[in-house]
Amino acid sequence: MKTGILRRGGDRLMFWCPGCDGAHAVRVGAGPGPRWGYNGNPERPTFTPSILVRGTRPLTDDEAERIMRGETVKPEPSVCHSFVRDGHIQFLSDCTHALAGQTVPLSDFDV
């Protein structure tokens, strides 16, 4: 499936996260592993329960150069925690990006 908002990859549905400036994916339907409920609407999707993505902040160019010189750069953790409801992303307050606490419409998946 390819719509303006969602992309499908096997049993995963992906949406663009403007807070992380990247895609997030959830597994839907029957199968092993964690699964999310999906309302079946590709234009105004709802996923349940919440979506929690943990990782590390991407390196800046300066940090990459420092690593190449042999310096140690400590990874900075990142958190994106949200509800996707009726075509909107509600970012929870534990997000580490600038959209924490805000609700925004899902945007077209241009990537």
Side-chain angles (χ1 to χ4, degrees):
M1 169 184 47
K2 183 176 179 181
T3 70
I5 292 176
L6 298 178
R7 296 286 185 269
R8 181 180 286 274
D11 63 352
R12 290 183 168 94
L13 288 175
M14 296 173 281
F15 61 92
W16 192 259
C17 174
C20 296
D21 195 28
H24 293 323
V26 294
R27 296 171 80 179
V28 298
R35 300 288 163 156
W36 277 257
Y38 170 51
N39 69 347
N41 185 338
E43 296 303 320
R44 297 181 69 88
T46 294
F47 299 112
T48 54
S50 68
I51 299 163
L52 175 61
V53 178
R54 295 177 190 255
T56 55
R57 179 187 52 76
L59 294 174
T60 64
D61 290 342
D62 178 62
E63 290 169 330
E65 288 177 19
R66 290 173 42 212
I67 289 171
M68 295 303 290
R69 291 192 304 262
E71 296 178 36
T72 300
V73 174
K74 184 178 177 184
E76 189 175 310
S78 66
V79 174
C80 184
H81 193 189
S82 65
F83 285 101
V84 174
R85 295 181 178 140
D86 196 31
H88 290 77
I89 307 175
Q90 177 189 2
F91 293 106
L92 302 178
S93 62
D94 58 338
C95 291
T96 56
H97 55 63
L99 294 179
Q102 298 180 47
T103 299
V104 300
L106 283 166
S107 60
D108 284 347
F109 200 123
D110 293 331
V111 175

